[in-house]
Amino acid sequence: MAAMAAALRGLGGRFRWRTPAVAGGVRGAAQGAVAAQLGRKVAVVDYVEPSPRGTRWGLGGTCVNVGCIPKKLMHQAALLGDLIRDAPHYGWEVAQPVPHDWRKMAEAVQNHVKSLNWGHRVQLHDRKVKYFNVKAGFVDEHTVRGVAKGGKEILLSADHIVIATGGRPRYPAHIEGALEYGITSDDIFWLKESPGKTLVVGASYVALECAGFLTGIGLDTTVMMRSIPLRGFDQQMSSLVTEHMASHGTRFLRGCTPSQVRRLPDGQLQVTWEDRTTGKEGTGTFDTVLWAVGRVPDTRSLNLEKAGVDTSPSTQKILVDSREATSVPHIYAIGDVVEGRPELTPTAVMAGRLLAQRLFGGSSDLMDYDKVPTTVFTPLEYGCVGLSEEEAVAHHGQERVEVYHAHYKPLEFTVPGRDASQCYVKMVCLREPPQLVLGLHFLGPNAGEVTQGFALGIKCGASYVQVMQTVGIHPTCSEEVVKLRISKRSGLDPTVTGC
Amino acid sequence: MAAMAAALRGLGGRFRWRTPAVAGGVRGAAQGAVAGQRDYDLLVIGGGSGGLACAKEAAQLGRKVAVVDYVEPSPRGTRWGLGGTCVNVGCIPKKLMHQAALLGDLIRDAPHYGWEVAQPVPHDWRKMAEAVQNHVKSLNWGHRVQLHDRKVKYFNVKAGFVDEHTVRGVAKGGKEILLSADHIVIATGGRPRYPAHIEGALEYGITSDDIFWLKESPGKTLVVGASYVALECAGFLTGIGLDTTVMMRSIPLRGFDQQMSSLVTEHMASHGTRFLRGCTPSQVRRLPDGQLQVTWEDRTTGKEGTGTFDTVLWAVGRVPDTRSLNLEKAGVDTSPSTQKILVDSREATSVPHIYAIGDVVEGRPELTPTAVMAGRLLAQRLFGGSSDLMDYDKVPTTVFTPLEYGCVGLSEEEAVAHHGQERVEVYHAHYKPLEFTVPGRDASQCYVKMVCLREPPQLVLGLHFLGPNAGEVTQGFALGIKCGASYVQVMQTVGIHPTCSEEVVKLRISKRSGLDPTVTGC
């Protein structure tokens, strides 16, 4: 099969494939891999258009290359900075301060990502999924034309097609100098040299996570946001997240919007902005400007109209139904490219696998996008699942909602005297017995590890009564969830005391 | 009231209270301690996790409560304040020293992440011990304040029963007081066992009662035992750079899943802890230079071995703290084999108004959170009109060894014994924490398995997780298992990426399939 594909490629590349062709990163690969496991003939096409700065990367998609993976590793590097400062309190004779070398970290992170690119290539090969590194666009609803880096074209046709092209960071093109002088999350993880003094523009988790680790490794970092942080997330929790960052070295310029970026003779960037509160103009000088103002679906070069696939007029994301089917019955879409879906790796992976099972495995299980847990890996991490407090109140009414909460102090913070002011957890429940848990919000160390298991509980319809009946594991931060007893309504002090 | 009490105390310890009644001398106590005339609604013996929780809950329900707590110094002379084992010589100092040890590994990781930390970094025991001890002392103080704020009377006296409603307390100076109560809760916990049959054990060895309070480094240490106490102590001692050996007679972590227990010790062995398996010590002698010489028998070879250590730490089990209680005066029955107090599902002893909770009780987990919950529920039943009993089923726990082991529910062998191999399905995975990749840390023992019924929807019987932050990972799954989660529901739960805990909801390979359970990819 591989040999035949190669021969055909040499012929200028017309292929006929009997079964699915899949486009995209990790999600597409997962889906393709499952389809292949079900005995189908599968191909994956993947192509990375270089960023405006020229950054490119290998197979695996956003998560592997310019998302979750490098983000978490750099976040870990930043956390180590704090732990190195803790260490003397625990008896370790580490001379302080300890300098950080960006290049060493970046090289290690980039090498790991490259090993994952390779790992994905090997996996596809082992599962007999054909892989083409081509930029694909529809010719008709069953056929795709791929253009390889050299310009060579191939044609691929398939019975079923899955679009999983994801998204790319948005450039605020209306801001003078934005494109020429700014970078995005596509670039930050691949920089060979330190970004230096950085202005991060945006209020998304991408903005805050990047600003967080940049601050943590010792760089002068400013976050500029137009209005509220983490739109869509619980706002009380979002405030605590940024409050923690502000008290740990990140500068915030709230209510500001940039109007211009210029390059100064010495190479630094001068940014001009408007402070919407005062109406005044502000300027600042930075080494790097990182735009984190949202992402756009990667659909423009797909020629979707040739296939008849509909997209949302406002977002350009692909419209699908509950079976992930587009307006064309045999064309599906999953992941970040889809309208109304969470932009998360695990949902894309699960949706992809379930789709393959429905197409080829005789299953009828649909993807459930409800109660999907997630974690924001800011310096103090925020894990959540279910409804925010405001969503719950909007949906059920204040009177029918009970919120239990606690300010706690991680044991490991005590010895080094770390500030635990924002270590906080709240559980949003229905007030009516047995008090169904609607949402859980945890701010603290290892928030992802804490939240995952509770997501299972919430999936099982856990009630507050059941939470109270669950014995804690001591000493941990996660036990604070099952020890929640103080309601907001009571007005009592929610600070946890004592062993 | 307090002033009057102080005045009365001055009279050599006879109290008269107008509402519950008289506590006189021994004879007076027998006559005076009748219902409605006793000093307290509730007397709690033991100011540890269970005792304090019960006392505070009862006080919040408006009752008149007293707590008596006393710490008999260890054979080495170590003593501590209010709060019990967990606060003083258990969970709290253990986890802090464990954290110190983990930091050692993280300091070694740091250069890989770009931090220019000169290696190796030396560790100063004294600095760590002082910080840990100071934190514990702040907790002692915090507990004193809490009791005071909730109007719970506290007596630092060693208590023993005079009769079933009366207790005599002896304060440090020798002064006596008598306290009577309608209800009494025994929560005296336990103390480490000394293997007294081993020559030199008592004179030269220490226990977990002492290790956290040492002012000087224990140096080269022999830890004798296979319990989580032994492994956790050996783990942090190794982690802070001390030459550490664990001697065990047979298997590690008896009672825990044995496959997981093996992985725990395998990790420790590959990270610097020496193991002497199948060995039992016979003698400890002190050498002229102050070091300790230990002689042992290797049960496999029959040969004798000797070694020299600075410290010998006995971690060979715990015994209930009941001997000085004079339980027979109250008629409280204990187990003939363990001497632990026998209770029913309401925590009631053989005497209807006397209860027992925590480590001192037969057949209960020796865990702080179960004692705390049992204490609170007991107070609610006694004084709050509740009928809720403590459920000791599916209690999660975590062993804080260098690579942590969190678990809830049945071990694989328990499940197989109970249901039969054919009716059990075990899903498992070897995974690699993302944070281990950059520094090239060995993840060989990072492993998770879920024990389920084979029959759909495949009820989850037990979860076992070995890896970083195992306690944080396991807690939420304990809720899920409490709610009767099935494997189907686990599969439907979306993962949080990138974490270690998501590996639980990504479990797909069964042991039965024989397929390679190594997680690959993103």
PDB file of all heavy atoms in Angstrom, chain B residues 353-375:
ATOM      1  N   HIS B 353     -22.828   4.263  76.997  1.00  0.00           N
ATOM      2  CA  HIS B 353     -22.576   5.704  76.864  1.00  0.00           C
ATOM      3  C   HIS B 353     -21.098   6.019  76.624  1.00  0.00           C
ATOM      4  O   HIS B 353     -20.691   7.172  76.634  1.00  0.00           O
ATOM      5  CB  HIS B 353     -23.061   6.443  78.125  1.00  0.00           C
ATOM      6  CG  HIS B 353     -22.297   6.024  79.341  1.00  0.00           C
ATOM      7  ND1 HIS B 353     -22.684   4.966  80.130  1.00  0.00           N
ATOM      8  CD2 HIS B 353     -21.145   6.501  79.862  1.00  0.00           C
ATOM      9  CE1 HIS B 353     -21.798   4.802  81.105  1.00  0.00           C
ATOM     10  NE2 HIS B 353     -20.853   5.717  80.964  1.00  0.00           N
ATOM     11  N   ILE B 354     -20.302   4.961  76.482  1.00  0.00           N
ATOM     12  CA  ILE B 354     -18.878   5.173  76.195  1.00  0.00           C
ATOM     13  C   ILE B 354     -18.614   4.758  74.755  1.00  0.00           C
ATOM     14  O   ILE B 354     -18.974   3.654  74.327  1.00  0.00           O
ATOM     15  CB  ILE B 354     -17.972   4.372  77.144  1.00  0.00           C
ATOM     16  CG1 ILE B 354     -18.226   4.791  78.596  1.00  0.00           C
ATOM     17  CG2 ILE B 354     -16.492   4.600  76.783  1.00  0.00           C
ATOM     18  CD1 ILE B 354     -17.382   4.042  79.630  1.00  0.00           C
ATOM     19  N   TYR B 355     -17.994   5.644  73.998  1.00  0.00           N
ATOM     20  CA  TYR B 355     -17.728   5.439  72.579  1.00  0.00           C
ATOM     21  C   TYR B 355     -16.223   5.467  72.340  1.00  0.00           C
ATOM     22  O   TYR B 355     -15.452   5.909  73.205  1.00  0.00           O
ATOM     23  CB  TYR B 355     -18.409   6.526  71.748  1.00  0.00           C
ATOM     24  CG  TYR B 355     -19.895   6.575  71.981  1.00  0.00           C
ATOM     25  CD1 TYR B 355     -20.436   7.244  73.077  1.00  0.00           C
ATOM     26  CD2 TYR B 355     -20.776   5.894  71.123  1.00  0.00           C
ATOM     27  CE1 TYR B 355     -21.801   7.260  73.320  1.00  0.00           C
ATOM     28  CE2 TYR B 355     -22.138   5.910  71.345  1.00  0.00           C
ATOM     29  CZ  TYR B 355     -22.651   6.587  72.450  1.00  0.00           C
ATOM     30  OH  TYR B 355     -24.002   6.595  72.677  1.00  0.00           O
ATOM     31  N   ALA B 356     -15.827   4.992  71.162  1.00  0.00           N
ATOM     32  CA  ALA B 356     -14.410   5.066  70.809  1.00  0.00           C
ATOM     33  C   ALA B 356     -14.277   5.297  69.319  1.00  0.00           C
ATOM     34  O   ALA B 356     -15.037   4.733  68.521  1.00  0.00           O
ATOM     35  CB  ALA B 356     -13.677   3.796  71.204  1.00  0.00           C
ATOM     36  N   ILE B 357     -13.337   6.157  68.950  1.00  0.00           N
ATOM     37  CA  ILE B 357     -13.097   6.455  67.537  1.00  0.00           C
ATOM     38  C   ILE B 357     -11.594   6.542  67.279  1.00  0.00           C
ATOM     39  O   ILE B 357     -10.795   6.728  68.211  1.00  0.00           O
ATOM     40  CB  ILE B 357     -13.758   7.790  67.102  1.00  0.00           C
ATOM     41  CG1 ILE B 357     -13.271   8.945  67.996  1.00  0.00           C
ATOM     42  CG2 ILE B 357     -15.272   7.680  67.104  1.00  0.00           C
ATOM     43  CD1 ILE B 357     -13.766  10.314  67.550  1.00  0.00           C
ATOM     44  N   GLY B 358     -11.234   6.422  66.009  1.00  0.00           N
ATOM     45  CA  GLY B 358      -9.842   6.619  65.601  1.00  0.00           C
ATOM     46  C   GLY B 358      -8.987   5.373  65.734  1.00  0.00           C
ATOM     47  O   GLY B 358      -9.490   4.247  65.774  1.00  0.00           O
ATOM     48  N   ASP B 359      -7.676   5.605  65.813  1.00  0.00           N
ATOM     49  CA  ASP B 359      -6.700   4.520  65.788  1.00  0.00           C
ATOM     50  C   ASP B 359      -6.853   3.520  66.931  1.00  0.00           C
ATOM     51  O   ASP B 359      -6.346   2.397  66.827  1.00  0.00           O
ATOM     52  CB  ASP B 359      -5.267   5.081  65.840  1.00  0.00           C
ATOM     53  CG  ASP B 359      -4.847   5.788  64.562  1.00  0.00           C
ATOM     54  OD1 ASP B 359      -5.701   6.036  63.686  1.00  0.00           O
ATOM     55  OD2 ASP B 359      -3.647   6.100  64.432  1.00  0.00           O
ATOM     56  N   VAL B 360      -7.510   3.927  68.012  1.00  0.00           N
ATOM     57  CA  VAL B 360      -7.598   3.054  69.182  1.00  0.00           C
ATOM     58  C   VAL B 360      -8.651   1.948  68.989  1.00  0.00           C
ATOM     59  O   VAL B 360      -8.753   1.019  69.781  1.00  0.00           O
ATOM     60  CB  VAL B 360      -7.931   3.888  70.456  1.00  0.00           C
ATOM     61  CG1 VAL B 360      -9.427   4.249  70.500  1.00  0.00           C
ATOM     62  CG2 VAL B 360      -7.492   3.179  71.723  1.00  0.00           C
ATOM     63  N   VAL B 361      -9.421   2.088  67.900  1.00  0.00           N
ATOM     64  CA  VAL B 361     -10.545   1.173  67.698  1.00  0.00           C
ATOM     65  C   VAL B 361     -10.178  -0.030  66.836  1.00  0.00           C
ATOM     66  O   VAL B 361      -9.477   0.108  65.823  1.00  0.00           O
ATOM     67  CB  VAL B 361     -11.730   1.926  67.052  1.00  0.00           C
ATOM     68  CG1 VAL B 361     -12.876   0.963  66.764  1.00  0.00           C
ATOM     69  CG2 VAL B 361     -12.178   3.057  67.942  1.00  0.00           C
ATOM     70  N   GLU B 362     -10.696  -1.203  67.229  1.00  0.00           N
ATOM     71  CA  GLU B 362     -10.453  -2.424  66.475  1.00  0.00           C
ATOM     72  C   GLU B 362     -11.141  -2.389  65.124  1.00  0.00           C
ATOM     73  O   GLU B 362     -12.323  -2.047  65.023  1.00  0.00           O
ATOM     74  CB  GLU B 362     -10.965  -3.627  67.288  1.00  0.00           C
ATOM     75  CG  GLU B 362     -10.879  -4.972  66.591  1.00  0.00           C
ATOM     76  CD  GLU B 362      -9.451  -5.403  66.324  1.00  0.00           C
ATOM     77  OE1 GLU B 362      -8.544  -4.969  67.067  1.00  0.00           O
ATOM     78  OE2 GLU B 362      -9.223  -6.164  65.375  1.00  0.00           O
ATOM     79  N   GLY B 363     -10.393  -2.760  64.076  1.00  0.00           N
ATOM     80  CA  GLY B 363     -11.002  -2.905  62.761  1.00  0.00           C
ATOM     81  C   GLY B 363     -11.245  -1.627  61.990  1.00  0.00           C
ATOM     82  O   GLY B 363     -11.918  -1.660  60.959  1.00  0.00           O
ATOM     83  N   ARG B 364     -10.703  -0.509  62.480  1.00  0.00           N
ATOM     84  CA  ARG B 364     -10.899   0.749  61.764  1.00  0.00           C
ATOM     85  C   ARG B 364      -9.626   1.134  61.041  1.00  0.00           C
ATOM     86  O   ARG B 364      -8.531   0.817  61.489  1.00  0.00           O
ATOM     87  CB  ARG B 364     -11.245   1.883  62.754  1.00  0.00           C
ATOM     88  CG  ARG B 364     -12.527   1.663  63.510  1.00  0.00           C
ATOM     89  CD  ARG B 364     -13.701   1.719  62.595  1.00  0.00           C
ATOM     90  NE  ARG B 364     -14.970   1.706  63.340  1.00  0.00           N
ATOM     91  CZ  ARG B 364     -15.985   0.921  63.043  1.00  0.00           C
ATOM     92  NH1 ARG B 364     -15.912   0.069  62.059  1.00  0.00           N
ATOM     93  NH2 ARG B 364     -17.107   1.012  63.753  1.00  0.00           N
ATOM     94  N   PRO B 365      -9.743   1.887  59.923  1.00  0.00           N
ATOM     95  CA  PRO B 365      -8.531   2.383  59.268  1.00  0.00           C
ATOM     96  C   PRO B 365      -7.809   3.321  60.232  1.00  0.00           C
ATOM     97  O   PRO B 365      -8.463   4.034  61.002  1.00  0.00           O
ATOM     98  CB  PRO B 365      -9.051   3.185  58.068  1.00  0.00           C
ATOM     99  CG  PRO B 365     -10.494   2.893  57.951  1.00  0.00           C
ATOM    100  CD  PRO B 365     -10.968   2.385  59.262  1.00  0.00           C
ATOM    101  N   GLU B 366      -6.493   3.307  60.185  1.00  0.00           N
ATOM    102  CA  GLU B 366      -5.733   4.224  61.042  1.00  0.00           C
ATOM    103  C   GLU B 366      -5.442   5.476  60.243  1.00  0.00           C
ATOM    104  O   GLU B 366      -4.324   5.702  59.769  1.00  0.00           O
ATOM    105  CB  GLU B 366      -4.448   3.540  61.545  1.00  0.00           C
ATOM    106  CG  GLU B 366      -4.732   2.466  62.577  1.00  0.00           C
ATOM    107  CD  GLU B 366      -3.469   1.799  63.141  1.00  0.00           C
ATOM    108  OE1 GLU B 366      -2.358   2.217  62.766  1.00  0.00           O
ATOM    109  OE2 GLU B 366      -3.603   0.866  63.953  1.00  0.00           O
ATOM    110  N   LEU B 367      -6.472   6.277  60.039  1.00  0.00           N
ATOM    111  CA  LEU B 367      -6.380   7.462  59.197  1.00  0.00           C
ATOM    112  C   LEU B 367      -7.056   8.643  59.881  1.00  0.00           C
ATOM    113  O   LEU B 367      -8.120   8.486  60.488  1.00  0.00           O
ATOM    114  CB  LEU B 367      -7.084   7.228  57.855  1.00  0.00           C
ATOM    115  CG  LEU B 367      -6.481   6.150  56.939  1.00  0.00           C
ATOM    116  CD1 LEU B 367      -7.439   5.868  55.790  1.00  0.00           C
ATOM    117  CD2 LEU B 367      -5.126   6.582  56.423  1.00  0.00           C
ATOM    118  N   THR B 368      -6.465   9.805  59.723  1.00  0.00           N
ATOM    119  CA  THR B 368      -7.051  11.024  60.274  1.00  0.00           C
ATOM    120  C   THR B 368      -8.445  11.323  59.733  1.00  0.00           C
ATOM    121  O   THR B 368      -9.372  11.579  60.501  1.00  0.00           O
ATOM    122  CB  THR B 368      -6.102  12.218  60.027  1.00  0.00           C
ATOM    123  OG1 THR B 368      -5.086  12.219  61.033  1.00  0.00           O
ATOM    124  CG2 THR B 368      -6.818  13.558  60.075  1.00  0.00           C
ATOM    125  N   PRO B 369      -8.636  11.306  58.410  1.00  0.00           N
ATOM    126  CA  PRO B 369      -9.951  11.730  57.922  1.00  0.00           C
ATOM    127  C   PRO B 369     -11.100  10.815  58.365  1.00  0.00           C
ATOM    128  O   PRO B 369     -12.216  11.305  58.553  1.00  0.00           O
ATOM    129  CB  PRO B 369      -9.786  11.708  56.397  1.00  0.00           C
ATOM    130  CG  PRO B 369      -8.316  11.853  56.167  1.00  0.00           C
ATOM    131  CD  PRO B 369      -7.700  11.091  57.294  1.00  0.00           C
ATOM    132  N   THR B 370     -10.849   9.523  58.540  1.00  0.00           N
ATOM    133  CA  THR B 370     -11.930   8.658  59.014  1.00  0.00           C
ATOM    134  C   THR B 370     -12.231   8.959  60.474  1.00  0.00           C
ATOM    135  O   THR B 370     -13.392   8.976  60.887  1.00  0.00           O
ATOM    136  CB  THR B 370     -11.603   7.164  58.852  1.00  0.00           C
ATOM    137  OG1 THR B 370     -10.285   6.919  59.358  1.00  0.00           O
ATOM    138  CG2 THR B 370     -11.668   6.738  57.401  1.00  0.00           C
ATOM    139  N   ALA B 371     -11.210   9.203  61.265  1.00  0.00           N
ATOM    140  CA  ALA B 371     -11.418   9.547  62.673  1.00  0.00           C
ATOM    141  C   ALA B 371     -12.189  10.858  62.798  1.00  0.00           C
ATOM    142  O   ALA B 371     -13.114  10.983  63.608  1.00  0.00           O
ATOM    143  CB  ALA B 371     -10.078   9.663  63.397  1.00  0.00           C
ATOM    144  N   VAL B 372     -11.805  11.826  61.992  1.00  0.00           N
ATOM    145  CA  VAL B 372     -12.471  13.128  62.010  1.00  0.00           C
ATOM    146  C   VAL B 372     -13.945  12.972  61.646  1.00  0.00           C
ATOM    147  O   VAL B 372     -14.839  13.464  62.343  1.00  0.00           O
ATOM    148  CB  VAL B 372     -11.786  14.110  61.036  1.00  0.00           C
ATOM    149  CG1 VAL B 372     -12.631  15.361  60.815  1.00  0.00           C
ATOM    150  CG2 VAL B 372     -10.404  14.498  61.555  1.00  0.00           C
ATOM    151  N   MET B 373     -14.200  12.276  60.561  1.00  0.00           N
ATOM    152  CA  MET B 373     -15.589  12.127  60.108  1.00  0.00           C
ATOM    153  C   MET B 373     -16.398  11.332  61.134  1.00  0.00           C
ATOM    154  O   MET B 373     -17.538  11.679  61.452  1.00  0.00           O
ATOM    155  CB  MET B 373     -15.619  11.450  58.730  1.00  0.00           C
ATOM    156  CG  MET B 373     -16.979  11.570  58.053  1.00  0.00           C
ATOM    157  SD  MET B 373     -17.052  10.763  56.450  1.00  0.00           S
ATOM    158  CE  MET B 373     -16.420  12.016  55.366  1.00  0.00           C
ATOM    159  N   ALA B 374     -15.808  10.257  61.648  1.00  0.00           N
ATOM    160  CA  ALA B 374     -16.502   9.445  62.646  1.00  0.00           C
ATOM    161  C   ALA B 374     -16.825  10.283  63.879  1.00  0.00           C
ATOM    162  O   ALA B 374     -17.917  10.178  64.446  1.00  0.00           O
ATOM    163  CB  ALA B 374     -15.655   8.239  63.029  1.00  0.00           C
ATOM    164  N   GLY B 375     -15.877  11.114  64.289  1.00  0.00           N
ATOM    165  CA  GLY B 375     -16.085  11.959  65.466  1.00  0.00           C
ATOM    166  C   GLY B 375     -17.218  12.940  65.263  1.00  0.00           C
ATOM    167  O   GLY B 375     -18.060  13.143  66.142  1.00  0.00           O
TER     168      GLY B 375
END
